[in-house]
Amino acid sequence: MYKIIICFLFSIIFGIQAKTHIDVKELRCLVCKATLEELDIAIKKIDPSRKVEIGGYRLDPEGNLKQRSISEAKSEIHLSELADSICEKMEDYIRATWKHNGKLTILRLIDSNGQMNVDMGRVDVIQDDDLNKSLKYYCEGIIEEYEESIIKYYKNDSKNIEVKVCTEEAQLCPFMFPEPKEPKQHETDEL
């Protein structure tokens, strides 16, 4: 009887350790995607009617200033400020694994409406010794290294910025597919 209990305890302990092993490359890929999603959200919140003047304050040979007005959302200075502050958002994320397949994910605790993330019941939260500070650290590293490219893509209204930065430039995500979601309750009932 004691042997069975000891074997059971060992299987639980080793099972928990296996679940909490995190592939750093996969985690950095998830952080890269989340960082650009957060940046996208922040840029979309900018009022499109807000304009900034860009150009030099020097006169051309005819005595005119060469300035033009652009949307604040495409201003290099404003984009740089957003990029520099976006990693603060990583403090709102947790590491977890999807219950249905054990795949690693990072989730925002609170959604944009101020409600608890609806996916919290679909994941197993991974207890983290550093209280998820590494998520912010990885974010800061990505921003520091790829900020120029990120700003360039947003200034030019590029499509698939996540793929361009996270996959092509940073090579953090060897391939990019949408995050697998657990089937909704009514979908599983029909099966």
Side-chain angles (χ1 to χ4, degrees), residues 29-43:
C29 172
L30 293 169
V31 169
C32 185
K33 289 168 47 177
T35 299
L36 292 173
E37 287 170 7
E38 289 291 342
L39 195 54
D40 220 26
I41 291 167
I43 291 170

Side-chain angles (χ1 to χ4, degrees), residues 51-61 63-70 75 77:
K51 304 286 184 190
V52 293
E53 299 291 324
I54 64 165
Y57 291 98
R58 301 180 103 184
L59 297 175
D60 65 8
N64 300 318
L65 286 175
K66 289 189 174 183
Q67 288 187 321
R68 60 187 175 105
S69 183
I70 64 167
S75 161
I77 292 172

Side-chain angles (χ1 to χ4, degrees), residues 9-111:
L9 289 175
F10 275 120
S11 66
I12 290 175
I13 291 170
F14 289 116
I16 290 171
Q17 288 177 346
K19 276 186 167 179
T20 60
H21 172 72
I22 295 175
D23 180 7
V24 175
K25 287 189 102 172
E26 185 179 5
L27 181 62
R28 289 185 69 210
C29 172
L30 293 169
V31 169
C32 185
K33 289 168 47 177
T35 299
L36 292 173
E37 287 170 7
E38 289 291 342
L39 195 54
D40 220 26
I41 291 167
I43 291 170
K44 287 178 180 171
K45 287 182 180 178
I46 298 171
D47 182 2
S49 65
R50 291 184 64 178
K51 304 286 184 190
V52 293
E53 299 291 324
I54 64 165
Y57 291 98
R58 301 180 103 184
L59 297 175
D60 65 8
E62 289 118 26
N64 300 318
L65 286 175
K66 289 189 174 183
Q67 288 187 321
R68 60 187 175 105
S69 183
I70 64 167
S71 169
E72 186 179 38
K74 292 188 180 198
S75 161
E76 189 170 332
I77 292 172
H78 190 69
L79 288 170
S80 181
E81 289 172 357
L82 278 177
D84 289 342
S85 66
I86 206 69
C87 293
E88 297 298 320
K89 301 279 187 183
M90 290 297 119
E91 293 176 356
D92 299 336
Y93 281 77
I94 58 164
R95 300 175 196 192
T97 55
W98 293 106
K99 288 181 179 179
H100 71 282
N101 66 4
K103 188 166 173 53
L104 181 66
T105 189
I106 60 173
L107 288 178
R108 196 167 217 275
L109 289 171
I110 307 295
D111 65 16

Side-chain angles (χ1 to χ4, degrees), residues 104-162:
L104 181 66
T105 189
I106 60 173
L107 288 178
R108 196 167 217 275
L109 289 171
I110 307 295
D111 65 16
S112 58
N113 299 327
Q115 302 295 316
M116 180 65 91
N117 190 326
V118 295
D119 288 331
M120 289 302 292
R122 297 180 180 133
V123 298
D124 292 319
V125 175
I126 298 173
Q127 296 299 319
D128 191 6
D129 294 339
D130 70 358
L131 302 174
N132 293 317
K133 290 187 188 324
S134 61
L135 300 179
K136 183 178 175 185
Y137 172 77
Y138 290 141
C139 174
E140 289 169 345
I142 291 164
I143 292 294
E144 184 177 318
E145 192 164 344
Y146 301 101
E147 183 173 6
E148 288 178 26
S149 296
I150 292 168
I151 290 171
K152 176 185 73 172
Y153 292 134
Y154 278 106
K155 277 177 58 176
N156 297 328
D157 280 333
S158 297
K159 304 291 182 215
N160 300 320
I161 295 174
E162 283 181 29

